[in-house]
Amino acid sequence: MTKTVVAVFSNEQVAKEAVEDLRRAGFDKEISILARDKGGEAGGREGAGGLNMGVDTGGISDGVTTGGVLGGLAGLAAGAGAMFIPGLGPLIAAGPIAGLLSGAATGGVAGGLIDWGIPEAEGREYENDVRQGKILVSVRCDDQRAEQANRILKDHGADRVRLH
């Protein structure tokens, strides 16, 4: 049975280290990352504690270049890109969550996460976390691997880790 492990991080560097450890443990295409791109709201400049689009400042996106290449945290997962969700604004999404949310833009993050077995109320919590500038890292995998991902994310001191 497929499980989804979701972690919320306040600190970008800690989230990046957790994702790197997940990759070292053999997770790759299962990793998703979602974060608000405050830089997209500020005309390409990074806001206070925000993400950046257009200017390479070493943030999560490390700058989205004209060619759409992402570095940093988002670059650690497949299919990284920028998207806009009404009511939430510009986001950086990487991994399977990017495809999931692109088809559910009108339902927001909470609506998209329902397809992964995450109750709508918890999905709204995650949406609010992202709105507040936190970073969502998720891993979708089988039961046995989910326990390993859960442990790695907890070991990195995520604000909250839940197994769905």
Side-chain angles (χ1 to χ4, degrees):
M1 177 178 223
T2 303
K3 298 276 188 178
T4 304
V5 183
V6 183
V8 176
F9 291 90
S10 297
N11 182 291
E12 179 182 320
Q13 183 60 39
V14 174
K16 183 176 180 178
E17 291 167 3
V19 170
E20 288 170 347
D21 277 356
L22 287 167
R23 293 201 56 186
R24 279 192 286 273
F27 295 97
D28 187 27
K29 294 179 182 175
E30 305 93 342
I31 301 170
S32 291
I33 300 161
L34 182 66
R36 190 155 185 222
D37 181 13
K38 293 179 183 176
E41 297 173 340
R45 297 243 177 247
E46 183 172 56
L51 304 178
N52 174 43
M53 287 184 77
V55 178
D56 186 0
T57 61
I60 281 183
S61 64
D62 276 350
V64 177
T65 66
T66 321
V69 178
L70 292 175
L73 182 59
L76 293 174
M83 66 174 51
F84 184 88
I85 294 186
L88 194 56
L91 302 173
I92 298 294
I97 201 167
L100 181 74
L101 294 180
S102 67
T106 56
V109 173
L113 293 176
I114 289 173
D115 289 344
W116 279 359
I118 297 171
E120 185 176 358
E122 285 189 50
R124 297 237 178 268
E125 286 179 40
Y126 296 134
E127 190 172 299
N128 285 331
D129 288 334
V130 171
R131 183 176 286 117
Q132 294 170 15
K134 295 183 180 182
I135 301 152
L136 189 102
V137 175
S138 69
V139 180
R140 191 146 163 81
C141 56
D142 64 42
D143 288 340
Q144 293 174 338
R145 302 268 301 156
E147 287 301 325
Q148 182 184 16
N150 189 41
R151 190 172 50 256
I152 290 169
L153 293 167
K154 282 183 176 179
D155 287 350
H156 278 279
D159 297 354
R160 181 173 70 246
V161 181
R162 292 188 182 147
L163 182 59
H164 301 278

